[in-house]
Amino acid sequence: MQKGAIKVTKAATSKLSTTDFNNLPFGKLFTDHMLIAEYKDGVWGDAEILPYGPLRFDPSLTTLHYGQSIFEGIKAYRMKDGSAAIFRPYENLKRFNKSAHRMAMPDVPEHLFIDGMKQLLNVDEKWIPSAEDHALYIRPFMFGTDEVIGVAPSSKYYFMIILSPVGPYFSNPLNIYVEEQFVRAAPGGVGYAKTAGNYAASLFPAKLAKEKGFDQILWMDANEHKFVQECGAMNVFFVMDGKLITPSLEAGTILDGITRKSVIDLAKSLGKTVEEREISIDELLEGYKKGSLTEAFGAGTAVTVSKIAGLQYKDTLISLDANNMPVADLIKKTMAEIKDGSIPDSFGWMVRTNA
Ligand code: PLP
Ligand code: COI
């Protein structure tokens, strides 16, 4: 086998015929195969595609103790012509390696990330759903595999890709809790990295918010608890005075979302004014009082574009009419049309799986 070639071992049986594509709970079902590559002695070995299944580890596995683990979320879509395409995977590769750098992990080369993903998708190509709002969710991830409990960067890593057929992450407009006590990220921290610990730290506040009836938390800045940041699984956008505004990235405390940057480019191309800047909760409350805040929505790979109907801040509920959000509707519809090939992909976002 030539260097870089991917050895494929096919699963003896497929789960495809027993998977109900009309009922796809998010992230609970996985395809027949997975990709794995090992980094050791300073180099990446060849990737292998294997039947999906459990891994065995030593209890001292460094990642279990110190969380040296990063991941990405990407979607492959079934196009109207029957072919399949991945949404902006090169952007995810760039962000993955930024996360890797921050977490003292090695870069993953393009041939493992992109070519490996394409080959895995070709092996499990029948798993790409075609229903509206459905996709094959691609989860690349990397974690340290040293067997040692001293605190240090691992010398060995696994890079893996698994695939999960998914429907919509949220089916209704969201009720959001504006968090004033807990924080997600601080300047100088790891907020911009897609690393496991950011999600682990969000679970307890998110559990409390869920118990109060909310779908997600809107995080505030760590210093003053005044400026809105992002939600647990999505970036946020607001429409105020007809302008689309979203928190800026400079502080390094929020994820540089691929959907976020796509929404910005699309909105500009549709003639909207877009502002990336600090947004204080006071500005949103003021806009709500005056009636100039008309829309709010989240943007992310899993959630696509999800409208926000309620934002609870202390005793005040910002209540928005999800049935009257023309900007969110237009962006959601146009993105979906680009993703399934109904309209031309003038941005060059879609990457064919077998090109
Ligand atoms: N913010 C957080 C914390 C996320 O987990 C996600 C999901 O990936 C996003 C934002 C949106 O990023 P993207 O559009 O790249 O999926
Ligand atoms: C994504 O949208 O890909 C995410 O990573 C969000 C969540 C499932 C963690």
Side-chain angles (χ1 to χ4, degrees), residues 71-74 87 91-92 95 137 139 169 184 191 193-194 198-199 202 216 219 229-236 253-262 298-304 335:
F71 70 97
E72 274 302 324
I74 307 171
F87 187 73
E91 291 297 323
N92 295 87
R95 188 172 67 189
Y137 185 84
R139 171 54 61 89
Y169 196 80
R184 176 184 177 276
K194 207 159 168 59
N198 281 333
Y199 296 82
S202 76
Q216 290 254 297
W219 298 103
Q229 303 274 291
E230 65 179 325
C231 290
M234 58 196 201
N235 295 110
V236 278
T253 50
I254 65 175
L255 199 72
D256 181 2
I258 319 295
T259 319
R260 176 187 178 280
K261 67 177 69 165
S262 309
T301 299
V303 307
T304 64
M335 295 249 294

Side-chain angles (χ1 to χ4, degrees), residues 7-68:
K7 184 176 162 216
V8 179
T9 306
K10 286 279 182 76
T13 55
S14 173
K15 296 170 285 190
L16 197 55
S17 62
T18 54
T19 301
D20 179 4
F21 275 68
N22 295 313
N23 178 23
L24 294 174
F26 189 91
K28 291 195 176 164
L29 303 168
F30 298 96
T31 64
D32 293 324
H33 299 90
M34 62 187 189
L35 177 139
I36 186 161
E38 188 176 19
Y39 178 93
K40 64 175 182 202
D41 302 325
V43 287
W44 282 105
D46 289 340
E48 253 195 89
I49 291 175
L50 298 169
Y52 186 93
L55 307 168
R56 267 180 84 87
F57 291 115
D58 192 272
S60 68
L61 187 85
T62 181
T63 295
L64 298 179
H65 303 265
Y66 307 122
Q68 212 189 3

